[in-house]
Amino acid sequence: MQDPAADIAEVVYEIVRLIPAGRVSSYGAIARAVGMISGARMVGFLMGRCGAVEPKVPAHRVVNSSGLLTGKFHFGPGNEMQRLLEREGITVENDRIRDFKKLFWDPSEEIR
């Protein structure tokens, strides 16, 4: 028998893998896309645990609904999350994505 939590995690990871480089999504948008209306915290928890998951999950592309890098501590010391985003052409100022609304990728709209 399959573990339902593992199934949800894999669906979340698959959605995050679809976020294009140079774009970002939010914990809540991903939760809504998988049918978890109040699941933003669960998505955040899964992003914090995905470091060893294969294929890789670009968790750095998932931020809070205001564009804040609230999960940056999962990337270790320093500004690794910011560095990964900036390498994709995303500007981060004071731990917030500049032009968040313009760069926002909504899985409910993008995945058909």
Side-chain angles (χ1 to χ4, degrees):
M1 183 155 114
Q2 292 242 171
D3 177 7
D7 291 344
I8 290 171
E10 191 51 41
V11 171
V12 166
Y13 295 152
E14 285 300 318
I15 289 173
V16 174
R17 288 181 187 112
L18 294 173
I19 303 170
R23 303 283 301 276
V24 292
S25 194
S26 70
Y27 304 108
I30 292 165
R32 285 188 299 279
V34 297
M36 294 189 303
I37 303 306
S38 299
R41 287 184 185 197
M42 172 63 88
V43 172
F45 172 77
L46 292 170
M47 293 300 97
R49 293 183 50 208
C50 71
V53 173
E54 289 294 335
K56 292 288 183 194
V57 178
H60 64 283
R61 296 180 188 151
V62 185
V63 297
N64 84 356
S65 62
S66 300
L68 283 171
L69 279 57
T70 52
K72 70 180 188 170
F73 64 91
H74 289 290
F75 291 84
N79 290 318
E80 182 65 10
M81 184 178 188
Q82 180 173 334
R83 188 186 66 73
L84 291 167
L85 290 165
E86 288 174 342
R87 190 165 55 183
E88 295 181 5
I90 296 173
T91 302
V92 178
E93 296 173 342
N94 299 315
D95 292 333
R96 185 182 303 270
I97 304 291
R98 187 185 336 141
D99 299 323
F100 175 65
K101 289 183 181 182
K102 177 181 163 192
L103 299 173
F104 183 70
W105 184 86
D106 186 345
S108 296
E109 298 291 321
E110 302 290 342
I111 302 171
R112 303 271 179 197

